[in-house]
Amino acid sequence: MSFDRLIAKIIETGNPTVAGLDPKLDYVPEFIKKKSFEEKGADLKGAAHAILKFNKAIIDEICDIVPAIKPQAAYYEMYGYHGVKTLYKTIEYAKSKGMFVIVDGKRNDIGATMEAYTNAYLGSAAVDGKQFEGFGADALTVNGYLGTDGIAPLTKVCAENDKGIFVLVKTSNKSSGELQDKLLAEGGTIYNAMGGMCEKWGEDTIGKYGYSAVGAVVGATYPEQLAEMRAKLPHTFFLVPGYGAQGGGAEGVAKAFDENGLGAIVNSSRAIMCAYQKEGCDEQDFAKAARRECLRMKDDITAFVPALKK
Amino acid sequence: MSFDRLIAKIIETGNPTVAGLDPKLDYVPEFIKKKSFEEKGADLKGAAHAILKFNKAIIDEICDIVPAIKPQAAYYEMYGYHGVKTLYKTIEYAKSKGMFVIVDGKRNDIGATMEAYTNAYLGSAAVDGKQFEGFGADALTVNGYLGTDGIAPLTKVCAENDKGIFVLVKTSNKSSGELQDKLLAEGGTIYNAMGGMCEKWGEDTIGKYGYSAVGAVVGATYPEQLAEMRAKLPHTFFLVPGYGAQGGGAEGVAKAFDENGLGAIVNSSRAIMCAYQKEGCDEQDFAKAARRECLRMKDDITAFVPALKK
């Protein structure tokens, strides 16, 4: 099962965190942008080229200490098809360095259309009798609002190809409660119902660490709900956004883990990509600053997860 | 406001339907595939090239009788970044022919990330002080599970750039009720609550036909809910999938319209793209067959929408 591969990488590195690669052009050091614009043009193509160089340098510096990256599709799509090519190249490069790749796309649809998304990110497309991977990621975030019709095509491919998904359950943003916290007539909240569906969708894909291929997104900014979901969803692996920039602290995040220090991976994006700006170091040193921030984050979180600490 | 432009096109053509361009490679005639594979290779690049030729030929044949196209992002992403380039080129071509373009991407996220999606599809990205459109669509489908934080970036750009969004409310698939039909403790269903949020999100962008820039996706397969939503959401324009292939009939679909014959646009995808297969005509005639199906669909639906019938 897919999350077995991710969990093995987490144990190997002693690091339950994922580096979010959400590269706004503002985050890219000037010297990289200048060179890319000169070589490729000061346009979407040049922007996409600059972002790829930025990503690769960060991946080079962190691939031995961080188990996974999570590129956010929106930041690549913003630069059009050139940006989407950079998403592909980033995934390819991270995999070549042994990292697990979670595409954060929050995709959702039904039937044949959801199969197309599944083929795009976790499977392959048939062309003239041969199969080709569109993006070749290891996992994809998805939105379960459409019910089982939107998830079944994914779980089938997850089982066949050793991949995983994370379903949005309780998101980290301030207004997440507008819909997700509403109480149902049958009892419990909407996010509770969504969490319950994750356990059900995953029941046939439970791996050797006790977690299925159907994970859940549960925000670091709601520690009580994290603890509640951890207790109620024993086979659901969590992707936890909202640590750091959005205000989630390490002590709260610790509630996402089980007694073995497993069961969750915590994301940080901006703090890693912009570490050089925060440090005030030379921008040439951006990738090493990203590494320093990854190590700081690892120490911060594992201090509260003693079972995992190396 | 954006849907004023769409509604004006619907009135002009007397046709409240949209052609879904969800091009699986299986739908593309052999003669196009053969040529594309020879020219570009029998791979993702060749597939993307074949799909673009297919799309353009259909657009050429229907642009005078159909107000809009709705490319479904999944079918382009399945062919990797080459496919995404075809999505861009398809949008560009349809706009050059005067069509309104709805990208069906069901995107969703929060804050800066949702801004990135908004910039990608409805706005533009800044590169070295200039603005560049990533995809340049007129409207985007979105998923509102994350609440107002996920919608506010869109409504701002809709107002500024004369664009629109469609929020998933009650989808057309069989399992849509698993979550969407659940009863809330406060009364009403989850899809009701989502519909109410659409009215609220749109209240500052109501155009001259009485509809805001925030529309809703309500499936043709649930006519009762269509009628219910039409009555409860007077300022929310509907995108109605599920007609034809999924089983929604014209009489049920008619419930999506107001007394002026406005308020909704009905999608059909496979029946248009594969009309030549169903007709059994020469595959060289695929685009004219698509046109015939568009006219058949228009007549079928407008028979129940007399106020719009030309």
Side-chain angles (χ1 to χ4, degrees):
Chain A
M1 300 304 130
S2 171
F3 291 131
D4 282 359
R5 281 197 289 131
L6 175 59
I7 294 167
K9 290 281 305 173
I10 290 171
I11 293 170
E12 180 194 324
T13 54
N15 189 357
T17 74
V18 48
L21 291 182
D22 310 356
K24 293 176 94 158
L25 204 52
D26 292 347
Y27 299 170
V28 178
E30 289 300 328
F31 78 95
I32 293 179
K33 284 191 281 202
K34 187 163 179 290
K35 192 148 184 279
S36 289
F37 294 167
E38 280 168 14
E39 284 174 21
K40 304 283 173 181
D43 52 15
L44 295 179
K45 191 172 182 180
H49 186 256
I51 289 168
L52 181 59
K53 285 179 105 170
F54 178 70
N55 285 350
K56 281 184 166 181
I58 290 180
I59 290 167
D60 281 339
E61 277 296 338
I62 68 172
C63 61
D64 61 325
I65 54 162
V66 176
I69 60 160
K70 180 176 76 65
Q72 164 53 256
Y75 292 95
Y76 300 86
E77 293 172 25
M78 183 160 69
Y79 301 103
Y81 61 83
H82 296 291
V84 175
K85 184 173 179 179
T86 283
L87 172 60
Y88 172 81
K89 295 276 182 191
T90 298
I91 294 168
E92 185 182 45
Y93 193 72
K95 280 167 63 186
S96 79
K97 295 285 175 176
M99 299 185 90
F100 188 94
V101 178
I102 302 163
V103 169
D104 195 354
K106 300 185 176 60
R107 296 302 196 252
N108 61 112
D109 216 290
I110 57 171
T113 306
M114 201 62 217
E115 278 173 29
Y117 276 134
T118 306
N119 290 343
Y121 293 99
L122 306 177
S124 57
V127 179
D128 203 24
K130 284 192 198 146
Q131 296 296 126
F132 295 88
E133 287 190 342
F135 291 93
D138 296 303
L140 179 68
T141 63
V142 301
N143 185 317
Y145 186 72
L146 291 89
T148 299
D149 297 326
I151 303 296
L154 291 155
T155 49
K156 187 170 170 286
V157 170
C158 286
E160 289 167 3
N161 294 5
D162 191 22
K163 308 274 180 168
I165 58 171
F166 291 99
V167 181
L168 299 185
V169 169
K170 172 66 183 167
T171 58
S172 59
N173 56 307
K174 277 188 191 155
S175 72
S176 71
E178 284 176 8
L179 191 81
Q180 297 161 27
D181 290 1
K182 278 190 192 293
L183 290 171
L184 295 170
E186 68 191 41
T189 58
I190 291 179
Y191 74 78
N192 246 290
M194 191 68 90
M197 291 199 283
C198 291
E199 280 282 307
K200 191 163 163 290
W201 289 326
E203 62 190 6
D204 294 331
T205 57
I206 296 172
K208 66 177 178 181
Y209 299 101
Y211 291 98
S212 80
V214 179
V217 176
V218 189
T221 43
Y222 298 102
E224 274 177 43
Q225 284 86 338
L226 255 181
E228 178 198 6
M229 290 290 94
R230 183 67 291 148
K232 284 190 180 169
L233 311 177
H235 307 103
T236 304
F237 197 84
F238 291 170
L239 171 63
V240 184
Y243 167 82
Q246 283 182 53
E251 194 169 356
V253 156
K255 297 186 193 303
F257 296 90
D258 65 23
E259 67 278 12
N260 302 314
L262 301 176
I265 190 159
V266 181
N267 180 73
S268 173
S269 303
R270 201 163 60 218
I272 294 171
M273 289 183 295
C274 300
Y276 73 102
Q277 294 173 347
K278 197 177 172 200
E279 280 191 10
C281 66
D282 189 300
E283 65 167 24
Q284 297 274 353
D285 197 31
F286 73 97
K288 287 205 161 48
R291 181 184 176 92
R292 288 190 286 273
E293 171 60 20
C294 287
L295 289 170
R296 192 206 61 73
M297 179 188 177
K298 174 188 171 184
D299 289 345
D300 186 37
I301 289 171
T302 53
F304 293 93
V305 191
L308 191 70
K309 203 167 161 65
K310 272 200 175 176
Chain B
M1 300 306 132
S2 169
F3 291 130
D4 282 358
R5 281 197 291 129
L6 175 59
I7 294 168
K9 289 281 307 172
I10 290 171
I11 294 170
E12 181 194 326
T13 53
N15 189 356
T17 73
V18 49
L21 291 181
D22 310 356
K24 292 176 93 158
L25 202 53
D26 292 347
Y27 299 170
V28 178
E30 289 300 328
F31 77 96
I32 293 179
K33 284 191 282 201
K34 189 164 177 288
K35 192 146 184 282
S36 289
F37 294 167
E38 279 167 15
E39 285 174 23
K40 304 283 172 182
D43 53 15
L44 296 179
K45 192 173 182 180
H49 186 258
I51 289 168
L52 182 59
K53 287 180 104 172
F54 178 71
N55 285 351
K56 281 182 165 180
I58 290 180
I59 290 167
D60 282 340
E61 278 295 337
I62 68 171
C63 62
D64 61 325
I65 53 163
V66 177
I69 60 160
K70 180 175 77 64
Q72 162 55 256
Y75 292 95
Y76 300 86
E77 294 172 25
M78 183 161 67
Y79 301 104
Y81 61 84
H82 296 290
V84 175
K85 184 173 178 181
T86 282
L87 172 62
Y88 172 81
K89 295 276 181 190
T90 298
I91 295 168
E92 185 182 45
Y93 193 72
K95 282 169 61 186
S96 79
K97 295 284 174 176
M99 299 186 90
F100 188 93
V101 178
I102 302 163
V103 169
D104 195 354
K106 299 186 174 63
R107 296 300 196 253
N108 62 110
D109 217 290
I110 56 170
T113 305
M114 201 62 216
E115 278 173 29
Y117 277 132
T118 306
N119 291 341
Y121 293 98
L122 307 177
S124 56
V127 179
D128 203 25
K130 285 194 197 143
Q131 296 295 127
F132 296 88
E133 287 190 342
F135 292 93
D138 296 303
L140 178 68
T141 63
V142 301
N143 186 318
Y145 187 73
L146 292 89
T148 299
D149 297 326
I151 303 296
L154 291 155
T155 50
K156 186 170 172 287
V157 170
C158 287
E160 288 167 3
N161 294 5
D162 191 22
K163 308 273 181 169
I165 57 171
F166 291 99
V167 181
L168 299 186
V169 168
K170 172 66 185 167
T171 56
S172 59
N173 55 307
K174 278 187 191 154
S175 72
S176 71
E178 284 177 7
L179 191 81
Q180 297 162 26
D181 290 2
K182 276 189 193 292
L183 290 172
L184 296 172
E186 69 193 38
T189 58
I190 289 179
Y191 76 78
N192 246 290
M194 190 67 91
M197 291 200 283
C198 290
E199 280 284 307
K200 189 162 167 290
W201 290 326
E203 64 189 4
D204 294 331
T205 57
I206 295 172
K208 67 177 176 179
Y209 299 101
Y211 291 99
S212 80
V214 179
V217 176
V218 189
T221 43
Y222 298 102
E224 274 178 44
Q225 284 86 342
L226 254 181
E228 177 198 7
M229 289 291 95
R230 182 67 292 146
K232 286 191 181 167
L233 311 177
H235 306 104
T236 304
F237 196 85
F238 291 170
L239 171 64
V240 184
Y243 166 82
Q246 281 182 55
E251 192 168 358
V253 156
K255 298 185 193 303
F257 296 90
D258 65 23
E259 66 280 12
N260 302 314
L262 301 176
I265 191 160
V266 180
N267 180 73
S268 172
S269 303
R270 202 164 58 217
I272 295 171
M273 288 183 294
C274 300
Y276 74 102
Q277 294 174 347
K278 196 177 172 200
E279 280 190 10
C281 65
D282 190 300
E283 64 166 24
Q284 296 274 354
D285 197 33
F286 73 98
K288 288 206 161 49
R291 182 185 176 90
R292 289 189 287 273
E293 171 60 21
C294 287
L295 289 170
R296 193 206 60 74
M297 180 187 177
K298 174 189 173 185
D299 290 344
D300 186 37
I301 290 171
T302 53
F304 294 93
V305 191
L308 191 69
K309 204 169 162 63
K310 274 202 175 175

